[in-house]
Amino acid sequence: MKWPFIFLWLFWMCFFNVFAFAEETQKDLDIFYISGKIIDSHKEPVKETEIRLLVDGKPHKLIVEDKEIDKTVTSSQGTFQIEFHLPKGVIEKAKIQLEIVKSSYKKTLVEFKKEDFAVKGNQFYLTKDIMIERKLGPAFWIATAVFLIAYALISFELLHRTVAAMLGAATMLILTYTLGTFNPEFHIISFERAIQAIDMNVIFLLMGMMVIIGVLKHTGIFQWCAYMSYKIAKGNVMALAIISCFFIAVTSALLDNVTTMLLYTPVLIEIAIALKINPLSLLIPGIMASNVGGTATLIGDPPNIMIGSYTGLTFMQFVYALTPVVLICMIALIIYNKFFYSKEYQKGKVEKIDDFINYLREEYKIKDKTLLNYGLLTMAIVISFFVTHGIWHMEVSIPALFGAGVLFTYAVLTKKVKMLELIEKDIEWTTLLFFIFLFIIVGAVEEVGLLAVIADWVHNLSAGNLTVAICLILWVSAIMSAFVDNIPFTATMLPIVSYLTKVIPGAESNVLWWALALGACLGGNGTIIGASANVVTVGIAEAAGYKISFFGFMKYAFLFMVITIIISNIWLLLFY
């Protein structure tokens, strides 16, 4: 019976001796803890940065979870925490350095001395943010070239935009994991970073709204709306276009422009078909109106949401500052549209208007009132969440997916909709894939520093002059947003505009923030890929058999974008 106690005693003594030895060993060591954040020149966190420790110029092991490692990597927020041990007293003479390595950035060595640390016994503590400088290496030039080639393929329609975007994104990744494996200078974007670059909030929002609209199509509601719009316009196609544009603008200001165009595009197509005119003559002005209207409020367009979140500007501040200039731009749109599409609208004249209205009333009836009631109830719930999503701290894609799930389930269970038919025909998979690959491409050029280079150019060129700063931010934001997704560009510009607002006299009126908002939002009108609403609307039109080329869209849109930016520029200089 004594043996178990003897073994237990021996085990305890061994454990105690090992623990005592480890504690004694630690007393002979100095333990160092260094934490902080790696940032770039814009004070933005740098992800996936490798950090190594050098002692007297030689690599030294780091301690992570009681294991020795050669290097560590910063988190998605650019933060790092390292621990290392040195023999007692070595800190007095040793040269301690952190080696920081990241593709498209200069290798940085940061030296620490004993005086830099807070000391408690044999433990040394230091918290420090480290800035690293970008460099235009092979990864920058390759990513920029691939980016330009992909956009050229889209612009000249040498490939379908989805295929071109996929080819560009895949090229960035394959180069990273082949050339980048042998030489880190060729590392463009990691797979993990590419996935993070995809804005799934946008993808899920689009998918949810496509499902809801796909179900509502079976009720005949869009055809009925086409009939009502024509009835209100009393056969006048120009009046119809004006009604459509203002309806879209107001809805985009209160919801968001992508959702608005998803809802109203089928209506405009039905109206155009009934009038026997090209649907694009109503759709393209509708796109312009959606981007202009979305500029008026904090929730109308993603750049405004980002600016509001960064600065703390309120919903009503956006309304007071931007609504007047938006109204002027809407009037400009009506005048511009009259000159551009007047001949096309003249083709839509109907001699016997009352007879045609009666025909539309009979032809475009509500087909399923029960499904429509469920659909409208679902839409009311979804829209209420859109308007109040800030209160719930909820992304707008969540109510869209919830509404789509509830309505789709009801429609399938009651056999009012065929599940596979809706999934295959009503969800614009090519549009969703285009967005996914485009996000990756833009994430790659953001990663290598192309957007930062442009932002720095604006910063340096303004040279402290408020008028120059307003014009530069407005025009550069507009041109960039016409060809590049405005979300990463806006994110890059936020710290630049924040700095300029602090140092330039007169900028405390928030005028530079309004310049950024107007440039980023209105600039999206410039090309077919400038804003999400553009891509979605053109995708739906293409699926319906009405294709428009990159330059065909640009022929109408780019000049109108320039006109609205000129109006905005004059407005900002006069009133700020």
Side-chain angles (χ1 to χ4, degrees):
M1 295 295 291
K2 293 181 180 180
W3 286 108
F5 294 103
I6 293 172
F7 281 121
L8 183 62
W9 181 78
L10 288 172
F11 173 78
W12 173 254
M13 288 301 294
C14 289
F15 176 79
F16 177 78
N17 287 331
V18 169
F19 180 79
F21 176 77
E23 189 174 15
E24 191 66 29
T25 302
Q26 279 204 342
K27 289 181 180 178
D28 295 332
L29 295 173
D30 287 331
I31 305 172
F32 294 82
Y33 301 95
I34 302 177
S35 62
K37 182 183 288 187
I38 306 298
I39 56 176
D40 61 17
S41 58
H42 296 164
K43 297 185 179 180
E44 291 295 308
V46 182
K47 310 168 187 176
E48 300 177 349
T49 305
E50 293 184 357
I51 300 176
R52 294 179 178 86
L53 176 67
L54 302 178
V55 177
D56 291 329
K58 297 179 180 179
H60 191 84
K61 296 289 186 180
L62 300 172
I63 309 296
V64 174
E65 296 179 352
D66 297 326
K67 294 180 181 179
E68 292 187 338
I69 59 173
D70 294 321
K71 63 182 179 181
T72 187
V73 179
T74 56
S75 69
S76 60
Q77 300 300 319
T79 57
F80 68 92
Q81 291 179 329
I82 61 174
E83 175 188 345
F84 61 94
H85 300 165
L86 291 176
K88 206 166 186 63
V90 169
I91 184 65
E92 301 287 349
K93 297 181 180 179
K95 185 179 182 181
I96 299 174
Q97 295 174 306
L98 289 185
E99 182 184 67
I100 302 161
V101 179
K102 168 78 173 176
S103 62
S104 299
Y105 288 85
K106 295 179 181 178
K107 182 191 288 186
T108 304
L109 288 174
V110 182
E111 186 174 346
F112 301 107
K113 298 179 180 178
K114 181 180 179 181
E115 297 78 35
D116 298 325
F117 291 89
V119 184
K120 183 180 179 182
N122 67 333
Q123 295 181 339
F124 293 73
Y125 299 90
L126 174 64
T127 300
K128 184 178 180 65
D129 290 346
I130 301 171
M131 182 181 294
I132 58 177
E133 295 182 23
R134 287 190 179 273
K135 69 173 182 179
L136 306 185
F140 174 88
W141 297 113
I142 292 172
T144 301
V146 172
F147 169 78
L148 294 175
I149 291 169
Y151 270 78
L153 292 174
I154 295 169
S155 303
F156 294 102
E157 297 185 307
L158 301 175
L159 283 177
H160 189 281
R161 62 177 179 272
T162 303
V163 179
M166 180 176 71
L167 181 62
T171 301
M172 302 275 200
L173 288 167
I174 198 69
L175 290 174
T176 295
Y177 286 98
T178 51
L179 296 178
T181 300
F182 295 105
N183 185 348
E185 293 292 315
F186 291 88
H187 185 283
I188 299 171
I189 185 170
S190 68
F191 180 77
E192 293 75 17
R193 179 69 185 89
I195 297 301
Q196 291 174 4
I198 301 170
D199 191 338
M200 293 309 297
N201 185 46
V202 172
I203 302 301
F204 285 145
L205 171 64
L206 295 175
M207 184 182 293
M209 295 309 299
M210 286 173 181
V211 170
I212 292 173
I213 290 168
V215 173
L216 287 175
K217 280 170 61 176
H218 290 77
T219 67
I221 181 63
F222 298 119
Q223 293 85 344
W224 183 83
C225 286
Y227 150 68
M228 288 301 297
S229 298
Y230 187 84
K231 183 180 178 181
I232 294 170
K234 296 180 180 179
N236 187 320
V237 183
M238 180 56 70
L240 184 63
I242 294 172
I243 292 169
S244 300
C245 286
F246 274 96
F247 175 84
I248 289 170
V250 172
T251 309
S252 296
L254 297 176
L255 300 177
D256 67 88
N257 48 15
V258 175
T259 302
T260 299
M261 292 312 297
L262 277 170
L263 290 170
Y264 211 59
T265 296
V267 176
L268 294 175
I269 292 174
E270 289 293 338
I271 293 171
I273 291 171
L275 292 171
K276 298 179 182 179
I277 62 174
N278 188 341
L280 297 175
S281 65
L282 295 179
L283 288 178
I284 296 178
I287 293 171
M288 302 298 107
S290 73
N291 288 321
V292 172
T295 308
T297 67
L298 187 150
I299 61 173
D301 219 1
N304 287 4
I305 296 172
M306 297 169 68
I307 292 169
S309 176
Y310 189 89
T311 61
L313 293 169
T314 66
F315 184 94
M316 292 311 298
Q317 281 178 297
F318 273 86
V319 171
Y320 290 142
L322 301 179
T323 299
V325 69
V326 164
L327 288 173
I328 296 171
C329 290
M330 283 301 300
I331 294 170
L333 174 60
I334 300 306
I335 298 170
Y336 181 79
N337 200 44
K338 179 176 176 60
F339 283 101
F340 201 93
Y341 278 126
S342 59
K343 290 183 179 179
E344 182 67 25
Y345 292 157
Q346 287 173 6
K347 298 177 184 177
K349 284 187 176 180
V350 180
E351 293 181 0
K352 297 180 180 180
I353 296 174
D354 292 335
D355 290 343
F356 188 64
I357 290 175
N358 291 331
Y359 165 77
L360 290 178
R361 183 171 60 243
E362 294 299 321
E363 187 71 18
Y364 294 157
K365 289 182 178 179
I366 301 298
K367 299 175 183 176
D368 192 328
K369 291 185 178 179
T370 305
L371 182 59
L372 177 60
N373 289 333
Y374 277 100
L376 292 178
L377 176 62
T378 302
M379 277 302 301
I381 294 171
V382 171
I383 290 173
S384 66
F385 276 121
F386 282 170
V387 175
T388 61
H389 75 96
I391 298 173
W392 312 106
H393 304 289
M394 175 172 58
E395 298 289 355
V396 289
S397 61
I398 296 174
L401 286 176
F402 173 73
V406 170
L407 187 59
F408 196 16
T409 301
Y410 170 78
V412 170
L413 291 178
T414 56
K415 298 182 178 179
K416 295 177 181 291
V417 172
K418 294 180 181 178
M419 182 178 72
L420 291 179
E421 182 180 326
L422 186 143
I423 291 173
E424 291 173 0
K425 294 183 178 181
D426 293 316
I427 298 178
E428 300 291 334
W429 293 108
T430 55
T431 300
L432 296 179
L433 288 172
F434 173 68
F435 271 112
I436 289 171
F437 296 131
L438 186 63
F439 280 133
I440 293 174
I441 290 175
V442 174
V445 295
E446 181 187 16
E447 189 76 2
V448 299
L450 177 60
L451 299 184
V453 168
I454 296 168
D456 283 337
W457 174 76
V458 176
H459 182 191
N460 296 330
L461 203 59
S462 64
N465 185 290
L466 182 60
T467 301
V468 174
I470 290 171
C471 296
L472 275 175
I473 291 171
L474 179 67
W475 283 96
V476 171
S477 299
I479 299 300
M480 287 299 298
S481 295
F483 294 96
V484 182
D485 189 272
N486 52 19
I487 294 174
F489 179 78
T490 303
T492 305
M493 288 297 293
L494 290 175
I496 297 293
V497 176
S498 177
Y499 173 73
L500 293 176
T501 300
K502 294 174 184 175
V503 299
I504 296 179
E508 59 274 5
S509 62
N510 295 318
V511 61
L512 298 183
W513 293 116
W514 307 137
L516 179 61
L518 288 166
C521 296
L522 297 178
N525 272 332
T527 67
I528 205 170
I529 55 175
S532 303
N534 308 14
V535 178
V536 168
T537 305
V538 170
I540 296 172
E542 188 175 302
Y546 301 96
K547 186 179 180 181
I548 184 169
S549 67
F550 184 92
F551 286 107
F553 183 94
M554 200 172 174
K555 182 180 177 182
Y556 178 99
F558 197 83
L559 178 58
F560 175 69
M561 181 209 77
V562 171
I563 291 171
T564 57
I565 296 301
I566 291 172
I567 292 170
S568 301
N569 206 156
I570 295 171
W571 175 271
L572 291 173
L573 294 179
L574 284 178
F575 293 96
Y576 289 94

